[in-house]
């Protein structure tokens, strides 16, 4: 059981930097082409001053919503579709592996 936990955490941790890279690159593409889709400010956004805008939860969720929507086909950059597909693949995979490791640890 501990081997399963270790492998799940190791694979999920290896996936996470690739997911974050795709998220940041996709945010940059959307911000340059359609800034009104993702420019959101919440009442607690001042906590995230000094961080990249994508790490503000309001902006991050807007970027994820765009990546999982059909609006990606409205973007002109061919890299946008590539990064959106990476996000669509890597986010559920990493979350599933982290969930499996957490549940296996409880058992």
């Amino acid at each position: 059981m501990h081997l399963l936990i270790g492998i799940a955490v190791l694979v999920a941790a290896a996936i996470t930097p690739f997911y974050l890279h795709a998220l940041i690159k996709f945010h940059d593409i959307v911000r340059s082409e359609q800034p009104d889709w993702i420019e959101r400010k919440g009442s607690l956004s001042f906590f995230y001053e000094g961080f990249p805008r994508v790490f503000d939860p309001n902006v991050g969720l807007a970027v994820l919503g765009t990546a999982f929507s059909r609006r990606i086909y409205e973007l002109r950059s061919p890299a946008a579709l590539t990064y959106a597909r990476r996000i669509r693949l890597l986010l559920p995979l990493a979350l599933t592996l982290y969930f499996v490791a957490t549940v296996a640890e409880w058992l």
Side-chain angles (χ1 to χ4, degrees):
M1 187 62 98
H2 291 294
L3 182 62
L4 173 70
I5 295 169
I7 291 172
V9 169
L10 188 64
V11 171
I15 289 172
T16 301
F18 295 106
Y19 159 71
L20 288 174
H21 176 264
L23 182 71
I24 290 169
K25 290 293 190 176
F26 186 70
H27 171 261
D28 292 342
I29 291 169
V30 174
R31 186 183 62 194
S32 66
E33 292 187 22
Q34 298 288 340
D36 54 319
W37 287 357
I38 60 170
E39 289 306 316
R40 305 234 168 95
K41 264 197 171 298
S43 59
L44 298 177
S45 289
F46 66 90
F47 282 122
Y48 301 97
E49 294 294 327
F51 288 105
R53 289 284 300 148
V54 72
F55 293 131
D56 182 345
N58 297 308
V59 176
L61 287 176
V63 171
L64 283 178
T66 303
F68 282 92
S69 73
R70 305 233 3 115
R71 289 195 290 184
I72 59 173
Y73 300 108
E74 297 176 26
L75 298 172
R76 292 184 306 266
S77 174
L81 189 59
T82 302
Y83 290 126
R85 286 183 177 155
R86 284 184 191 165
I87 292 169
R88 287 179 174 187
L89 173 73
L90 296 177
L91 179 63
L93 181 61
L95 288 177
T96 302
L97 289 172
Y98 282 127
F99 180 74
V100 166
T102 303
V103 169
E105 181 64 32
W106 285 347
L107 297 177

